[in-house]
């Protein structure tokens, strides 16, 4: 087909729909596309938005620039499913059409209002000026019949409170003790990340409460240079916060991606404007993950979906006019004060029966090189494009390695049971995505007598669950 170029801030109109249909038909034939992960029909996908179980369906919206694999005018694309397995495209999407959102409908979440039965979608109306942004938060209302209309009183919040810069975004609305609250990410005039809190009695009229401090080990922690996509959820009787941060420098094995998403367990103390954290870590230890949004599933169980990508990546699928996908929906649990994530059982049925893997471990002393470096690869496994691999072994204090691909083009996963580390190395892949942020990721796990690893491979999208979700690593692999 003949590809057209569009201005960065183009919205979908009746005139460009036929072109987008043609583009989507073309993209559907392209390589690297997943089958079990939600991906865009064409163009670029980023953050998950508006996640909810509503009127018998899971609704998933996502940030979408439809016209090509780049960041531009963001729409909210919309798909729904009864079971996380079969997804249906919905034409009720958010298209930036109003003067207050002239540069896009940015991220936000969904809140089902038990009082009127409607589902309120909150988003940032991106409004740029010659000197920066004017922060505007907006609402749209989805009815039980499925229609969506933007609230006529938009924006529901206009402008920035004192001391906060124009970059305030990504509303996350929830209820606590009969009051509605909205978290927002932002940055102070001092260039440091801030977590803002607003409150409301009716979900539409919001007032500013101030900034929430994150307290860890008795001290206030820094939030990089900018907070994005905050999310709050109750998990097993505790409060869990997700924060996506810009500007965290690498620290040991952590924070090696362009941007970082943290998960924290603790207590959200609204009267004192504090989140008292007892545990904090990267939400995902892989290469390609950002902007996770928590939500409650059908049975009220806490879950999360993330963007299977991060920042400004250029990826092999760009030449086919699409980019990125969402992660699998993951269930959340707390065990021994740590957050666990496991893929939703309905979402992994598509991967079929898992294959088991066995190998001969080596001891640290037998390993030809230090265990902090990868051991030599092989024997190689060449999995089917959509498959699941289960790998289990006893804790023998030895080094276990898995090599996927062939001798000239492969990745490895190394588990060192004596120092309890996982090393994922994709430096031997020929089509290497974003080498600027390194080719190895490492993380540790807690003491265990037995190791269980589940690897979900969906074409170029790989998710690795260590120890029933104590650690999850997501990354793109182009073999
Ligand atoms: C995070 C983010 C959000 C913003 C959206 C724009 O990836 O930058 O802060 O709302 O993407 O697409």
């Amino acid at each position: 087909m003949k590809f057209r170029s569009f201005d960065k801030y183009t919205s979908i109109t009746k005139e460009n729909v036929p072109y987008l249909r043609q583009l989507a038909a073309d993209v559907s034939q392209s390589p690297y596309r997943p089958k079990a992960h939600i991906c865009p029909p064409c163009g670029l996908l980023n953050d998950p938005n508006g996640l909810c179980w509503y009127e018998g369906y899971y609704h998933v919206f996502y940030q979408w620039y439809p016209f090509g694999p780049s960041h531009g005018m963001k729409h909210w694309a919309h798909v729904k499913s009864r079971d996380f397995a079969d997804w249906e495209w919905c034409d009720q999407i958010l298209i930036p059409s109003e003067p207050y959102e002239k540069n896009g409908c940015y991220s936000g979440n969904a809140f089902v209002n038990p009082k009127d039965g409607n589902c309120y979608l909150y988003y940032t109306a991106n409004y740029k000026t010659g000197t920066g942004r004017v922060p505007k938060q907006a609402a749209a209302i989805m009815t039980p019949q499925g229609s969506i209309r933007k609230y006529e009183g938009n924006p529901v919040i206009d402008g920035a409170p004192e001391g906060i810069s124009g970059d305030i975004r990504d509303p996350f609305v929830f209820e606590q003790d009969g009051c509605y609250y909205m978290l927002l990410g932002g940055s102070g005039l001092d260039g440091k990340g801030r977590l803002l809190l607003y409150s409301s009695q009716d979900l539409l009229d919001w007032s500013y409460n101030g900034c929430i401090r994150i307290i860890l080990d008795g001290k206030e922690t820094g939030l990089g240079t900018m907070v994005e996509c905050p999310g709050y959820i109750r998990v097993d009787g505790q409060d869990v916060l997700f924060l996506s941060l810009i500007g965290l420098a690498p620290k040991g094995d952590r924070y090696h991606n362009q941007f970082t998403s943290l998960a924290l367990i603790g207590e959200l103390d609204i009267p004192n404007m504090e989140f008292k954290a007892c545990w904090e870590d990267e939400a995902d230890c892989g290469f390609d993950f950002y902007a996770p949004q928590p939500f409650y599933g059908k049975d009220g169980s806490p879950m999360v979906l993330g963007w299977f990508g991060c920042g400004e990546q250029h990826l092999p699928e760009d030449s086919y006019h699409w980019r990125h996908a969402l992660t699998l929906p993951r269930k959340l649990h707390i065990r021994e004060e740590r957050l666990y994530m496991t893929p939703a059982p309905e979402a992994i049925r598509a991967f079929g029966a898992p294959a088991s893997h066995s190998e001969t471990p080596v001891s640290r002393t037998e390993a030809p090189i230090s265990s902090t470096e990868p051991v030599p690869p092989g024997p190689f496994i060449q999995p089917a494009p959509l498959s699941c691999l289960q790998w289990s072994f006893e804790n023998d204090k030895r080094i276990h390695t898995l090599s996927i691909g062939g001798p000239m083009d492969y990745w490895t996963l190394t588990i060192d049971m004596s120092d309890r580390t996982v090393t994922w190395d994709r430096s031997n892949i020929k089509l290497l995505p974003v080498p600027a942020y390194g080719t190895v990721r490492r993380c540790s796990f807690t003491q265990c007598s037995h190791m269980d690893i589940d690897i979900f491979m969906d074409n170029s999208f790989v998710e690795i669950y260590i120890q029933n979700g104590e650690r999850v690593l997501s990354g793109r692999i182009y073999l």
Side-chain angles (χ1 to χ4, degrees):
M1 69 175 283
K2 196 167 174 317
F3 296 110
R4 284 173 50 194
S5 56
F6 289 83
D7 180 76
K8 184 171 179 184
Y9 291 111
T10 305
S11 291
I12 293 181
T13 58
K14 267 203 202 87
E15 289 67 44
N16 52 40
V17 164
Y19 173 78
L20 286 175
R21 290 227 169 92
Q22 223 189 334
L23 184 61
D26 207 70
V27 165
S28 70
Q29 303 305 312
S30 74
Y32 315 127
R33 292 202 38 102
K35 283 204 159 65
H37 290 78
I38 294 170
C39 71
C42 52
L44 181 144
L45 165 156
N46 56 301
D47 316 348
N49 294 154
L51 309 178
C52 58
W53 171 258
Y54 181 56
E55 296 292 321
Y57 285 95
Y58 284 106
H59 290 266
V60 170
F61 296 83
Y62 56 81
Q63 286 286 283
W64 185 39
Y65 176 69
F67 302 103
S70 55
H71 290 273
M73 187 71 124
K74 294 295 169 72
H75 296 60
W76 275 36
H78 183 189
V79 291
K80 65 177 187 178
S81 167
R82 289 197 185 274
D83 56 6
F84 285 137
D86 295 311
W87 292 95
E88 179 186 326
W89 174 266
C90 299
D91 282 332
Q92 290 285 317
I93 69 173
L94 291 188
I95 300 176
S97 56
E98 303 298 321
Y100 57 81
E101 56 193 16
K102 69 182 178 65
N103 299 104
C105 298
Y106 269 19
S107 289
N109 83 324
F111 183 83
V112 178
N113 182 1
K115 292 191 183 144
D116 64 10
N118 289 327
C119 177
Y120 287 53
L121 305 171
Y122 293 93
Y123 63 101
T124 295
N126 190 26
Y127 189 94
K128 286 187 163 179
T129 65
T131 51
R133 283 189 168 99
V134 179
K136 294 177 192 289
Q137 317 307 327
I141 293 157
M142 176 159 68
T143 65
Q145 294 69 40
S147 68
I148 300 179
R149 68 178 163 84
K150 289 183 188 146
Y151 172 53
E152 50 289 349
N154 275 342
V156 292
I157 300 175
D158 203 353
E162 218 183 299
I164 306 291
S165 86
D167 275 325
I168 302 175
R169 53 182 183 251
D170 311 336
F172 187 97
V173 170
F174 61 97
E175 187 263 349
Q176 199 178 78
D177 301 328
C179 187
Y180 303 116
Y181 295 99
M182 180 191 286
L183 292 171
L184 282 162
S187 180
L189 293 177
D190 57 2
K192 293 187 178 150
R194 293 281 195 286
L195 178 62
L196 286 73
L197 186 79
Y198 283 73
S199 55
S200 168
Q201 293 302 322
D202 65 359
L203 290 166
L204 293 169
D205 187 14
W206 294 91
S207 24
Y208 180 58
N209 294 44
C211 288
I212 305 256
R213 293 178 302 277
I214 309 293
I215 309 295
L216 185 66
D217 298 330
K219 283 198 304 265
E220 184 172 353
T221 60
L223 297 174
T225 55
M226 164 92 195
V227 176
E228 299 187 299
C229 301
Y232 163 80
I233 194 153
R234 295 279 297 166
V235 183
D236 296 330
Q238 286 183 267
D239 292 331
V240 168
L241 201 59
F242 286 93
L243 300 175
S244 290
L245 303 181
I246 296 181
L248 281 194
K251 194 171 165 195
D253 291 334
R254 293 178 173 194
Y255 317 150
H256 287 275
N257 294 338
Q258 186 180 5
F259 306 132
T260 303
S261 293
L262 296 181
L264 302 102
I265 303 175
E267 188 203 339
L268 178 62
D269 178 354
I270 292 180
N272 288 311
M273 296 299 283
E274 276 180 2
F275 187 88
K276 298 190 188 85
C278 56
W279 177 89
E280 174 247 29
D281 215 324
E282 285 187 309
D284 184 294
C285 303
F287 299 94
D288 305 288
F289 183 85
Y290 195 59
Q293 182 172 100
F295 64 105
Y296 294 101
K298 186 183 187 164
D299 53 359
S301 58
M303 307 193 67
V304 70
L305 254 177
W307 169 23
F308 211 131
C310 186
E312 298 278 344
Q313 300 175 313
H314 290 282
L315 296 172
E317 65 260 27
D318 288 5
S319 49
Y320 299 96
H321 298 265
W322 67 282
R323 195 193 290 171
H324 301 306
L326 298 179
T327 65
L328 293 171
R330 300 172 181 174
K331 292 203 162 218
L332 298 172
H333 285 289
I334 295 177
R335 286 188 209 118
E336 291 170 9
E337 293 298 311
R338 296 175 78 94
L339 189 68
Y340 280 68
M341 300 184 188
T342 49
E346 308 92 313
I348 57 175
R349 254 179 238 138
F351 290 83
S356 322
H357 170 65
S358 61
E359 40 71 72
T360 317
V362 293
S363 302
R364 266 166 180 268
T365 45
E366 293 163 26
I369 45 177
S370 136
S371 73
T372 54
E373 287 168 40
V375 290
F380 291 100
I381 299 178
Q382 282 181 320
L386 183 68
S387 55
C388 171
L389 196 66
Q390 257 172 11
W391 188 22
S392 310
F393 42 86
E394 297 309 313
N395 186 353
D396 50 8
K397 304 271 179 214
R398 303 178 88 193
I399 298 171
H400 296 251
T401 301
L402 172 74
S403 309
I404 305 262
M408 306 307 288
D409 196 9
Y410 63 90
W411 58 273
T412 57
L413 188 68
T414 303
I415 314 290
D416 187 331
M417 293 304 285
S418 68
D419 71 0
R420 287 187 273 117
T421 54
V422 177
T423 305
W424 188 7
D425 184 345
R426 61 176 187 183
S427 49
N428 294 296
I429 290 175
K430 281 199 202 131
L431 208 53
L432 190 60
V434 241
Y437 295 97
T439 56
V440 175
R441 291 291 179 271
R442 265 165 67 92
C443 59
S444 59
F445 52 89
T446 49
Q447 192 66 48
C448 58
S449 57
H450 181 88
M451 171 57 75
D452 278 306
I453 299 169
D454 296 286
I455 305 175
F456 296 93
M457 290 167 279
D458 187 4
N459 202 334
S460 56
F461 296 83
V462 177
E463 294 188 33
I464 304 175
Y465 291 78
I466 308 285
Q467 254 343 19
N468 302 311
E470 180 190 335
R471 293 291 194 186
V472 188
L473 299 94
S474 305
R476 300 296 302 279
I477 299 283
Y478 300 85
L479 281 180

